[in-house]
Amino acid sequence: MKNLCLPLFALMLFFHAEAQQIPSTAMQIKTAVLAAPEDLRDGAMVYGYDAGGNWTVLREGSNELVCIADDPKAEGFNVACYHKELEPFMERGRELKKEGKNFKEIFDTRENEAKAGTLKMPKEGATLYALTAAAEDYDAMQGEVKNTYLRYVVYIPWATQESTGLALKPEAPGMPWIMDPGTHRAHIMINPPKE
């Protein structure tokens, strides 16, 4: 019996240590909304992780933004906030990724579903804010992050270079350009110069 208890105790300690790596709900919310404009942070819905590492709603929202907390299993710091009209697109991507699909399979599936009308895409432009930082600049348990980089994405499904006048690649730091033109995932990229 003693021989069985030691491995079980070690296993319990391992899972306890793993659970401790998930920041508290408050810390996840605090850092997730940093990607949002200040006046939209308090009302944003926030997705993140429960103590067991499961995807969950951390806070219901009262405005048009949805924020995603940092994935505690991923290297570095990466949070995003986007307009709620993008939620069907984002949720479908999460489902397909969970099924083990790669980037191309996810793109093609959502493209076909958007063309068929079974995947709802925004009719107007819808913005995503992405905030990142290096691992050494992020203290997940304290909810502190420094040296962040904020970039902007404006989804404009089916738009093209011809319909927008946007370049197909940035020709200067911070210059907006269109990525994936003519597809359901067409979007304006804005990457400000890094300081």
Side-chain angles (χ1 to χ4, degrees):
M1 184 67 177
K2 284 183 181 178
N3 291 340
L4 181 61
C5 288
L6 188 58
L8 285 175
F9 181 70
L11 192 60
M12 287 172 51
L13 283 176
F14 172 77
F15 283 118
H16 181 67
E18 285 295 303
Q20 287 180 332
Q21 297 304 310
I22 307 291
S24 70
T25 296
M27 291 303 105
Q28 289 183 72
I29 292 170
K30 175 184 174 183
T31 56
V33 300
L34 291 175
E38 282 190 38
D39 62 334
L40 297 176
R41 291 178 183 174
D42 288 342
M45 176 184 178
V46 181
Y47 283 111
Y49 302 87
D50 65 18
N54 302 303
W55 181 254
T56 189
V57 174
L58 298 177
R59 182 179 79 186
E60 295 293 341
S62 60
N63 66 22
E64 63 274 12
L65 276 195
V66 176
C67 294
I68 306 295
D70 181 66
D71 181 348
K73 295 176 190 160
E75 180 70 19
F77 174 76
N78 189 343
V79 298
C81 296
Y82 52 83
H83 194 278
K84 65 184 178 184
E85 291 293 314
L86 284 167
E87 182 58 15
F89 168 76
M90 297 296 183
E91 178 59 27
R92 186 64 175 132
R94 289 189 289 266
E95 289 169 0
L96 293 168
K97 187 174 181 181
K98 192 173 181 179
E99 291 173 14
K101 306 285 189 214
N102 64 33
F103 177 84
K104 182 174 182 347
E105 291 169 326
I106 293 170
F107 183 98
D108 291 346
T109 300
R110 291 193 294 192
E111 176 83 356
N112 292 334
E113 291 173 355
K115 283 180 177 175
T118 57
L119 176 61
K120 184 182 172 194
M121 295 298 294
K123 290 190 178 9
E124 305 294 332
T127 303
L128 176 141
Y129 307 91
L131 186 72
T132 58
E136 62 268 18
D137 290 327
Y138 178 44
D139 182 340
M141 297 306 148
Q142 298 300 316
E144 301 296 332
V145 62
K146 59 185 180 181
N147 300 320
T148 57
Y149 178 70
L150 182 63
R151 64 185 172 83
Y152 314 90
V153 179
V154 181
Y155 285 86
I156 48 174
W158 317 115
T160 63
Q161 181 180 34
E162 294 75 20
S163 70
T164 63
L166 289 162
L168 295 176
K169 62 182 181 181
E171 295 176 7
M175 177 182 173
W177 58 287
I178 189 168
M179 188 172 186
D180 299 324
T183 72
H184 75 288
R185 194 174 176 266
H187 56 281
I188 302 168
M189 293 289 298
I190 304 169
N191 297 318
K194 292 186 177 180
E195 295 177 3

